Amino acid sequence: MAIRPILYSENPLLRRKSRKVQRVTEEVEELIQDMFETMRAANGVGLAAVQIGVPLRVIVVGIPEDVEDPAAGTTLSLINPEIVRASPEVEEGVEGCLSVPGWAGNVPRHVEITVRGLDRKGKPVRMKARGYLARVLQHEIDHTEGILFLDRATEVWPVEEGEEEKVEAAAVGMGPRRGA
Ligand code: ZN
């Protein structure tokens, strides 16, 4: 396992659509492990493969145990994730992004979504997510389409190093966390 460097928003790769994974190989398994390690080292709650320079449709999510949310402790990886249903109901919430350090913004997201994809063994999975987990999934799936939260935000503002945590904690009602 290895922590890999995270790309920043000026990197054109972040604007490209990621490719579908054709076969779930050992390399994909290794990629997922590196993504988890990189995400945790950066205090993130989610990461897409393209953020570490691999333009494949792979995302990981890790909601810490100590947050007040029904999704607390959720850890998952998804290959070729796809939103197949989204509630018409939308709510705004504060987001940050590991690829956009120093910025936060208000982003409208669907409150509930149904996502399908493959697990790390290549088995098809389908899941429903609400609230914060649904937000993180939408943020990560956007990365696979070359979309950053800045594109969807109704408002963005600069945050000081370390202040990101306060902003997110205040707005999302969670413990100190940073971007995804
Ligand atoms: Zn992000």
Side-chain angles (χ1 to χ4, degrees), residues 63-166:
I63 314 276
E65 299 274 359
D66 61 350
V67 299
E68 278 184 44
D69 191 273
T74 301
T75 297
L76 63 91
S77 56
L78 270 179
I79 298 164
N80 301 338
E82 200 183 336
I83 296 171
V84 289
R85 256 204 61 216
S87 66
E89 196 191 341
V90 163
E91 74 185 355
E92 283 207 347
V94 176
E95 292 182 22
C97 180
L98 296 177
S99 293
V100 192
W103 290 88
N106 267 326
V107 186
R109 298 286 187 188
H110 299 287
V111 173
E112 187 176 286
I113 56 170
T114 303
V115 178
R116 76 172 173 211
L118 304 173
D119 71 10
R120 60 202 304 167
K121 301 284 171 216
K123 206 180 96 200
V125 288
R126 191 181 170 96
M127 58 175 290
K128 252 189 195 178
R130 271 191 74 79
Y132 189 63
L133 180 58
R135 173 171 299 278
V136 175
L137 283 167
Q138 287 169 86
H139 179 115
E140 300 314 330
I141 292 170
D142 268 357
H143 274 302
T144 70
E145 295 288 339
I147 297 167
L148 297 176
F149 83 95
L150 301 172
D151 308 337
R152 297 199 190 273
T154 53
E155 190 189 358
V156 294
W157 56 90
V159 284
E160 298 286 328
E161 186 63 38
E163 292 282 304
E164 290 115 326
E165 307 193 355
K166 277 192 221 157

